[in-house]
Amino acid sequence: MRGKRFGTGLSLAAGALAVCSLAFAPTAAAVAPGTATVNADCGSYGGGDATLTATQSGTSATITLRTSSVTAPVSIGQDSLVSQLTMVKEGGGTVVFKGTKNPAMSTGDALEVGPLSGTVAPGDTLEAFGGTLKVTAFGFITITCTATAPQAPGPFVFD
C-alpha cells in the first residue's frame, strides 16, 4: 500500500507543478482581429473579397492571404510565388510582409499566398487599404492587387 501512496503523491505533485508553470508562463503576443476581409482589385486578373489572416510572435508577424476571386491561371508549384504585401501603418509609413510560401495550386484554384513574414512593433495598427499585394509567378507574370475599401472588421492591431 505504501508504494501506491508514494506514486499518487508524486502524481499530485507533478500536476501541481504543471499548473504553477502554466500560471507563470509568458503570454504570447496577439494580434486583433486575427482575420479580416478586404475587397481587392487585381486588374485583368480579377478581384473581389480576400481573407487576410494575421499571427504574431513578439515582433515577428505573418499574414496569409486567400481569395477565390482570383484563381491560378495555370498549375503553380508549392512555394514558387514571390509575394510582397505592403500594409499601411496608422500614423504614417508602411510595413512590408514578404515571402515565397504558397500551397501547390491547380488551374482554377483559389489564390493563396503566405504566410508572408514581416516585423511589427507593439501597438502597430496595419490596414490593407492604401497598400498593395504583388505576386510574381515564373519570374515574369506579376499580379498587383489594391484594396478598394478598408478591411473589415477593422485594421490589425499588434501587441
Side-chain angles (χ1 to χ4, degrees), residues 88-146:
V88 175
K89 189 174 175 181
E90 181 179 80
T94 59
V95 175
V96 177
F97 293 83
K98 296 179 183 181
T100 57
K101 297 290 186 188
N102 63 275
M105 292 173 259
S106 297
T107 303
D109 282 355
L111 177 67
E112 182 174 342
V113 295
L116 306 176
S117 301
T119 302
V120 296
D124 275 356
T125 300
L126 304 180
E127 166 69 59
F129 186 54
T132 60
L133 170 68
K134 290 185 180 182
V135 180
T136 303
F138 310 113
F140 64 91
I141 299 171
T142 299
I143 301 170
T144 301
C145 303
T146 56

Side-chain angles (χ1 to χ4, degrees), residues 34-59:
T35 302
T37 303
V38 66
N39 188 283
D41 177 7
C42 300
S44 61
Y45 292 97
D49 286 342
T51 301
L52 301 166
T53 303
T55 64
Q56 179 185 5
S57 178
T59 59

Side-chain angles (χ1 to χ4, degrees), residues 67-102:
T67 179
S68 58
S69 299
V70 177
T71 59
V74 296
S75 292
I76 298 172
Q78 179 178 346
D79 299 338
S80 64
L81 298 175
V82 177
S83 303
Q84 178 174 308
L85 174 65
T86 302
M87 303 281 289
V88 175
K89 189 174 175 181
E90 181 179 80
T94 59
V95 175
V96 177
F97 293 83
K98 296 179 183 181
T100 57
K101 297 290 186 188
N102 63 275

